[in-house]
Amino acid sequence: MDSSVASSSGAAATPEAAGTLDAALPKTYDPAGTEARWQAAWEQAGAFHPDPAAPGEPFSVVIPPPNVTGSLHMGHAFNTALIDTIVRFQRLQGKNVLCLPGTDHASIAVQTILEKQIKAEGANKDDLGRDAFFERAWAWKAQSGGTIVGQLRRLGYSVDWKRERFTLDPGLNKAVVEAFLRLHAQGLIYRGEYLVNWCPASGSAVSDLEVEMKEVEGSLWHLRYPLTPVEGEPIDHLVVATTRPETMLGDTGVAVNPSDPRYAHLVGRSITLPLVGRQIPIVADEHVDPAFGTGCVKVTPAHDPNDFAIGQRHGLPQITVMAKDGTTNEAAGRFAGLDRFEARKAVVAAMEAEGLLVKTEPHRHSVPYSDRGKVPVEPLLSTQWFVRTEPLAARCRTALDNPAGPEPRFVPERWSKVYRDWLTDIRDWCISRQLWWGHRIPAWFVVSETGGVITEATPYVVARDEAEAWAKAEAQFGAGAQLEQDPDVLDTWFSSGLWPFSTLGWPGEATAAGPGPGAAGEAPQEPADLATWYPTSVLVTGFDIIFFWVARMTMLAGAFLQEPAPDQPDSANPDAPARERPVGGRDSWIPFRDVYIHGLVRDENNRKMSKSAGNGIDPLLLIERYGADALRFALVREVAGAGQDIRLDYDRQTDTSATVEAARNFANKLFNATRFALMNLGGETPASLGEPVPAELESEDRWILSRLTRTSTQAAELYGSYRLGEAAKLLYEFAWNDLCDQYIEWAKPRLFGDDEAARTTARRVLARSLEALLVMLHPLMPHLSEDLWHAVTGAEASEFLALQRWPQPDPAWLDASHESAFQFGIDAVRSIRNLRALSGVKPAEKLPIGIHTPTAARQDFVIANQGKISRLVGASELHWEAEPTAGQLLGIVDSDAQVGLTVPPQSLDALRERLQKDLAKIEKEIAGLAGRLANPNFAGKAPPEVVAECQANLAEARAQAELVGGRLGELG
RNA sequence: GCCCGAUUAGCUCAGCGGUAGAGCGCCUGCCUUACAAGCAGGAUGUCGCUGGUUCGAAACCGGCAUCGGGCACCA
């Protein structure tokens, strides 16, 4: 006992880890100081910096790296809460857990922000130059990244900050270059001129995924195209309908459906394109819907994806009439130099002037918008780099069909369909961006071969660096070769797509320094982190980036991690137990075993929170008001239906949230429960008190230990299967209802009394239950639980709850029949309190109370717990006769027990009303049960145990009805 | 057009074959020596509509309605 007191005060003597509770014993929990203190302590101790050679089954998560575009919003806090709950739980399971943090350079988003800033300063990025721009971008990254990291720390994220990565840091650049080279060597990267989505706002190509279709109110212009005249032909023109009249300047054909009787005979004839005068052919193409518009389509292969395809099928020329800044070019003739929307007006006006505008109809249609630029994208012919996706997607589909189980496994499962569908009709991925902020494409053009300029035909070499490029170029093109590196950068998602392995050290030193992929004699030493933690255990992310990110990661992993990793003997720790992994390397190349997809955080009006909508909530505001633990608990608790969006209530006037406040109240409840324990454990700790001795346990001891055992099994199951919200609710109920409302109240007489032995038993049970609860809650409320755990256990400051083991209560404590026996006590107490309230007895007034039951076991229970029950119900004396004494006010617990008060019956009406209500309810139940039993089909077909239960319930209900009826009769 | 989700107490949501739950809010009473951020007691629902399966449906199946989301997209 004494030694434990010493260890408790020992913790208090270490200032940086002193439990809040040891000092002034405030009545309310103040999260701010506690949270900061433990965050610092964890980090200083390197608590979350795992060793790849350490024992324990590896468990790893790479966090979705937030964009360095400013600060974090509630969605990030949600994602963080979920991931940290999972990894902290797994750490408590004794696994070798790595949670790797980082941020994403967000090429186009950051460049857009910076260009806006520069523009506001009256300059543009070209004045600045590429190097200065880069410097500025890095400064921005430092600032925004710092803010983000600060926010993640404030949430208590148990990530390994020593392994923090940034998608544009040198190590990841090496991975990006290597990935590009290997894909190129595999024939999976090509360069060519295709119609791409051009964003005039950012001056870059974007991928299909970065285009968002928006419904807009536009117009459908019907234009008259005169046929080049032919003798005897009655039709002298066609009418085409278009939403983009300006593109007619680039028309190189008109298409009709081959089976359209109106026009079939005109196929092959030519048209004189108005305003331009070009002769263009009429072609027949299945794509044309005869029922839409006039059934004639103008074909502009250089400015529309469908027209591009038609043009390809019919060999039509591609005439680009638009420049990359969204203005018409010289090919637009007299319309050249106009902004595209001006050009539209000008063309329509000109057509009208020539009497060729048949009509203009209002027309609602979808227009492709650039996600980032927020302007309509322009389909434009452009030479870009592409990844050939089908072979990569095919591998992913095969993995998903793995007969041993889908890889990855989606939770909830329905998202695997979304993932598969996208991989099934996938288009090639345009990966080049005409931006500066990003990974420069590792390709050098041999410009000497094409007269010093870069064209589509310019040959190139891909290389790890300039020296290698020169070597390759000279070998291929001779010493006179002139090189120029491609000025473009790669799509951000190209580097994000490598995240689960690039952050773990892929491709490793030997390979990177080696002569090239597949070269002989190469003996790549797989990085230890990769060997231990790849594939990662689970990816936790929102459904909105399944295509952008999840699928890109699986596709790229398929290109690089197919080969089994070499066996890595555990040299640093030869005695370590064998890993649960196949000898010879990883069991899958898919970068994560599970993909846990969560919903979005919506605002109080059920709108998606987003920066652009301006309805985001700064997590820091709520953390400051309620604490990080409260915010985390609130977010996780809301997520019981996995994959469902969550709605966070929020009052923008006062920056308050009832949901988070409820979680804060729970934190305070735990704080006070622990405070109560500290005040009543007499300076002892769970360890110094020792195990509860079965023979000494009282009723509530056995009950709470059984509940604890049950809860610990259930909570582990829930956490382990990503049912985090359910775990949160379960523990909330155990803590508040079972431990605080029941156990502590029943145990108080012993804790406050002088019976040393009884007090010790109660202390043992209380200490053990509370400690186990704190461990179980740790994944959800890490700071509070860490703090309280230190206070309760007196653990050294250098020890952490975060690194303890999940509670292993003795299974022998599980006792369902005792749980229901004790439930009688709870129910009896409630019945008495109800009766007191009903009869208007003052809470402070003590009065004689009876519990009446003919059952011996229950009588024994009442006798054994007389003092406790008396205290709980405010009894001056407690009777336990089998039958009620005359003149008492009676309440029904169940058919086998009644409770009674001896008071002047001043509230008979209230009691009568209550009994009548009870009776009505019971009779309704009887009618239902009797009806069911009367149905011969039920008795014949329902399982016998259900029938028996039904009969038992009916008997119970009838007995209760009789009791209630009798009481009503007495009341008159 | 194709696919997915949701619809349960005033609000936010669990429950997903045995006859309805939680938190918040609400009503009543309590500063009971851990906690008023608390305690005790209480009220509150034709589980969207409609067929079907079943002895039995909030739950399973079909249709419908409303809301939300994704994909595709005809000029």
Side-chain angles (χ1 to χ4, degrees):
Chain A
M1 185 191 290
D2 292 340
S3 62
S4 70
V5 173
S7 83
S8 174
S9 55
T14 315
E16 66 274 15
T20 311
L21 294 165
D22 291 328
L25 293 178
K27 284 190 171 188
T28 52
Y29 171 57
D30 171 32
T34 306
E35 290 179 349
R37 184 150 37 80
W38 289 111
Q39 283 159 17
W42 289 326
E43 189 162 349
Q44 276 165 27
F48 310 126
H49 178 59
D51 176 355
E57 185 188 335
F59 188 94
S60 55
V61 175
V62 290
I63 79 163
N67 290 344
V68 287
T69 46
S71 58
L72 299 187
H73 56 250
M74 203 52 75
H76 293 112
F78 184 42
N79 179 262
T80 297
L82 295 175
I83 294 179
D84 200 48
T85 299
I86 290 167
V87 299
R88 283 183 184 268
F89 170 71
Q90 295 295 345
R91 222 176 262 121
L92 294 172
Q93 296 297 309
K95 294 190 184 166
N96 186 16
V97 174
L98 170 66
C99 187
L100 190 144
T103 46
D104 194 297
H105 68 283
S107 170
I108 192 166
V110 167
Q111 179 147 349
T112 304
I113 292 170
L114 292 178
E115 283 188 37
K116 211 173 277 178
Q117 285 181 357
I118 294 166
K119 198 176 167 191
E121 293 163 16
N124 68 61
K125 77 175 198 302
D126 297 302
D127 302 337
L128 216 57
R130 194 160 183 147
D131 289 344
F133 183 87
F134 233 71
E135 241 171 74
R136 193 166 171 141
W138 277 104
W140 166 267
K141 182 267 164 188
Q143 192 206 332
S144 169
T147 303
I148 288 167
V149 166
Q151 285 175 302
L152 294 176
R153 285 177 201 268
R154 284 291 293 277
L155 282 161
Y157 218 164
S158 66
V159 293
D160 182 0
W161 289 112
K162 289 183 184 157
R163 284 185 171 88
E164 182 191 347
R165 304 306 297 267
F166 176 56
T167 55
L168 201 53
D169 70 29
L172 296 208
N173 179 256
K174 196 155 81 179
V176 164
V177 169
E178 189 66 27
F180 190 96
L181 262 62
R182 290 200 197 179
L183 285 173
H184 189 263
Q186 292 176 39
L188 293 173
I189 282 187
Y190 62 91
R191 180 173 181 266
E193 186 179 46
Y194 296 88
L195 203 59
V196 298
N197 304 299
W198 187 265
C199 169
S202 45
S204 174
V206 296
S207 71
D208 293 329
L209 281 179
E210 288 157 282
V211 172
E212 188 189 5
M213 301 303 278
K214 268 197 183 160
E215 287 266 296
V216 298
E217 296 294 346
S219 301
L220 193 58
W221 286 274
H222 293 251
L223 307 178
R224 184 194 300 254
Y225 279 17
L227 285 171
T228 310
V230 162
E231 199 96 1
E233 170 56 53
I235 299 178
D236 66 352
H237 68 272
L238 291 177
V239 174
V240 298
T242 181
T243 54
R244 302 199 50 202
E246 71 280 13
T247 63
M248 70 162 289
L249 303 171
D251 281 2
T252 55
V254 168
V256 298
N257 190 284
S259 60
D260 191 330
R262 294 171 295 178
Y263 309 118
H265 65 287
L266 297 178
V267 172
R269 290 277 304 277
S270 72
I271 275 176
T272 308
L273 186 62
L275 308 183
V276 179
R278 184 161 54 235
Q279 294 296 304
I280 59 174
I282 297 173
V283 299
D285 197 282
E286 292 289 349
H287 169 77
V288 180
D289 176 2
F292 186 89
T294 58
C296 301
V297 181
K298 62 190 272 306
V299 181
T300 322
H303 290 285
D304 181 276
N306 286 313
D307 292 6
F308 182 83
I310 296 175
Q312 295 261 296
R313 287 194 285 271
H314 301 280
L316 302 178
Q318 299 159 343
I319 298 177
T320 298
V321 296
M322 202 84 69
K324 295 193 168 169
D325 60 357
T327 64
T328 42
N329 66 11
E330 62 282 0
R334 62 180 160 117
F335 296 97
L338 296 173
D339 173 79
R340 51 186 172 155
F341 302 108
E342 293 301 320
R344 176 173 302 173
K345 287 180 197 159
V347 165
V348 170
M351 289 295 280
E352 189 168 21
E354 300 204 9
L356 296 173
L357 179 64
V358 180
K359 61 175 170 177
T360 307
E361 291 177 324
H363 182 63
R364 190 169 175 79
H365 63 131
S366 310
V367 172
Y369 271 71
S370 159
D371 246 5
R372 289 291 167 189
K374 305 294 173 200
V375 297
V377 298
E378 193 60 48
L380 212 61
L381 279 172
S382 169
T383 302
Q384 303 285 346
W385 295 91
F386 295 86
V387 169
R388 209 180 296 284
T389 45
E390 174 51 29
L392 297 172
R395 283 178 203 160
C396 295
R397 297 195 302 264
T398 304
L400 202 59
D401 291 332
N402 182 356
E407 291 178 332
R409 183 175 72 108
F410 278 84
V411 179
E413 197 275 331
R414 63 187 149 92
W415 291 110
S416 68
K417 182 175 161 52
V418 175
Y419 167 79
R420 176 197 299 280
D421 287 352
W422 190 73
L423 288 171
T424 301
D425 258 323
I426 193 164
R427 277 178 286 179
D428 282 353
W429 174 17
C430 176
I431 52 169
S432 42
R433 297 288 181 275
Q434 288 63 53
L435 303 168
W436 286 353
W437 178 238
H439 291 280
R440 188 94 176 250
I441 291 173
W444 281 260
F445 293 103
V446 189
V447 289
S448 42
E449 297 291 306
T450 48
V453 295
I454 300 173
T455 71
E456 197 203 352
T458 307
Y460 60 86
V461 293
V462 297
R464 290 180 179 81
D465 51 42
E466 198 166 347
E468 191 181 313
W470 277 109
K472 283 186 176 179
E474 280 176 22
Q476 241 178 302
F477 300 96
Q482 278 179 286
L483 291 188
E484 205 172 300
Q485 187 174 3
D486 191 317
D488 293 348
V489 300
L490 289 163
D491 182 5
T492 295
W493 296 103
F494 190 89
S495 54
S496 315
L498 309 174
W499 188 247
F501 42 96
S502 64
T503 54
L504 296 177
W506 185 89
E509 289 301 325
T511 310
E522 201 175 307
Q525 177 75 14
E526 185 162 78
D529 282 5
L530 193 68
T532 298
W533 285 301
Y534 191 91
T536 65
S537 308
V538 58
L539 179 79
V540 180
T541 192
F543 60 77
D544 50 333
I545 52 175
I546 289 179
F547 307 143
F548 276 114
W549 195 41
V550 180
R552 259 79 177 267
M553 288 190 285
T554 55
M555 288 196 296
L556 290 175
F560 309 127
L561 290 138
Q562 291 268 26
E563 75 281 6
D567 194 10
Q568 285 252 309
D570 204 340
S571 54
N573 190 356
D575 299 327
R579 307 270 169 76
E580 282 188 34
R581 283 192 163 180
V583 175
R586 62 183 65 95
D587 49 8
S588 173
W589 55 269
I590 287 279
F592 10 79
R593 270 187 279 277
D594 296 341
V595 178
Y596 174 59
I597 299 290
H598 62 248
L600 273 28
V601 182
R602 311 191 90 89
D603 72 1
E604 66 279 13
N605 298 315
N606 205 22
R607 282 178 316 202
K608 175 182 171 178
M609 280 190 196
S610 74
K611 245 176 262 179
S612 49
N615 64 339
I617 299 171
D618 183 354
L620 280 182
L621 281 177
L622 289 172
I623 289 175
E624 275 157 20
R625 187 175 291 274
Y626 302 112
D629 287 345
L631 176 60
R632 292 174 49 141
F633 191 86
L635 289 170
V636 175
R637 193 194 156 133
E638 287 299 309
V639 77
Q644 226 52 56
D645 290 351
I646 65 167
R647 193 185 298 197
L648 190 70
D649 70 290
Y650 189 68
D651 184 330
R652 284 173 201 281
Q653 304 301 311
T654 57
D655 286 331
T656 55
S657 161
T659 308
V660 184
E661 186 176 310
R664 186 276 312 265
N665 292 353
F666 179 52
N668 192 50
K669 186 73 180 175
L670 294 166
F671 175 85
N672 274 293
T674 305
R675 197 160 76 98
F676 174 82
L678 291 179
M679 291 165 69
N680 289 284
L681 291 180
E684 301 261 16
T685 67
S688 72
L689 284 160
E691 286 283 323
V693 179
E696 294 170 356
L697 297 180
E698 300 201 6
S699 196
E700 66 271 19
D701 297 332
R702 290 166 59 202
W703 177 78
I704 195 69
L705 290 172
S706 181
R707 296 286 306 134
L708 171 64
T709 308
R710 190 182 299 285
T711 301
S712 106
T713 308
Q714 287 176 347
E717 260 173 40
L718 293 171
Y719 275 132
S721 54
Y722 309 112
R723 285 140 76 194
L724 308 180
E726 290 175 68
K729 283 174 191 167
L730 180 77
L731 292 169
Y732 180 96
E733 284 167 14
F734 174 77
W736 205 311
N737 302 342
D738 293 352
L739 189 63
C740 292
D741 288 350
Q742 298 302 331
Y743 181 74
I744 288 180
E745 294 305 325
W746 284 76
K748 270 178 181 173
R750 278 185 292 160
L751 292 168
F752 294 166
D754 325 318
D755 182 337
E756 194 66 34
R759 196 166 63 190
T760 299
T761 297
R763 283 176 173 174
R764 282 176 177 156
V765 175
L766 174 61
R768 187 128 319 241
S769 305
L770 180 61
E771 185 187 359
L773 172 64
L774 292 172
V775 179
M776 295 191 293
L777 278 169
H778 182 257
L780 296 160
M781 309 186 108
H783 311 88
L784 173 71
S785 57
E786 183 77 72
D787 197 54
L788 300 181
W789 181 82
H790 276 261
V792 169
T793 62
E796 296 294 333
S798 56
E799 257 187 276
F800 293 111
L801 167 57
L803 304 177
Q804 300 303 307
R805 290 305 176 86
W806 187 259
Q808 301 290 334
D810 188 344
W813 286 344
L814 199 61
D815 185 347
S817 71
H818 181 70
E819 280 185 49
S820 65
F822 187 77
Q823 188 62 42
F824 163 69
I826 295 173
D827 292 343
V829 167
R830 177 166 299 130
S831 294
I832 294 166
R833 286 169 168 170
N834 177 259
L835 202 55
R836 286 184 61 121
L838 210 58
S839 42
V841 180
K842 291 277 172 235
E845 188 183 339
K846 301 254 189 286
L847 72 167
I849 288 168
I851 297 180
H852 312 292
T853 168
T855 308
R858 286 182 161 185
Q859 288 179 11
D860 292 345
F861 177 87
V862 175
I863 294 164
N865 295 285
Q866 189 197 155
K868 298 170 197 167
I869 297 172
S870 296
R871 185 181 175 283
L872 291 171
V873 300
S876 58
E877 56 168 316
L878 193 69
H879 313 275
W880 54 88
E881 298 87 357
E883 291 299 322
T885 24
Q888 283 187 320
L889 271 182
L890 289 170
I892 313 293
V893 182
D894 55 34
S895 67
D896 195 44
Q898 300 177 75
V899 292
L901 305 184
T902 306
V903 289
Q906 71 261 68
S907 306
L908 288 183
D909 288 345
L911 181 63
R912 189 181 296 112
E913 199 181 309
R914 175 58 191 263
L915 288 171
Q916 276 162 351
K917 210 169 170 183
D918 285 352
L919 190 59
K921 203 169 162 186
I922 294 167
E923 276 170 350
K924 196 177 160 196
E925 196 186 338
I926 289 172
L929 290 165
R932 195 141 43 112
L933 283 163
N935 181 350
N937 284 328
F938 176 68
K941 294 192 182 174
E945 63 272 19
V946 172
V947 177
E949 192 191 333
C950 193
Q951 282 166 337
N953 289 344
L954 180 61
E956 165 73 23
R958 282 186 167 145
Q960 280 193 42
E962 200 175 313
L963 279 176
V964 175
R967 296 288 77 84
L968 276 169
E970 287 168 21
L971 289 171

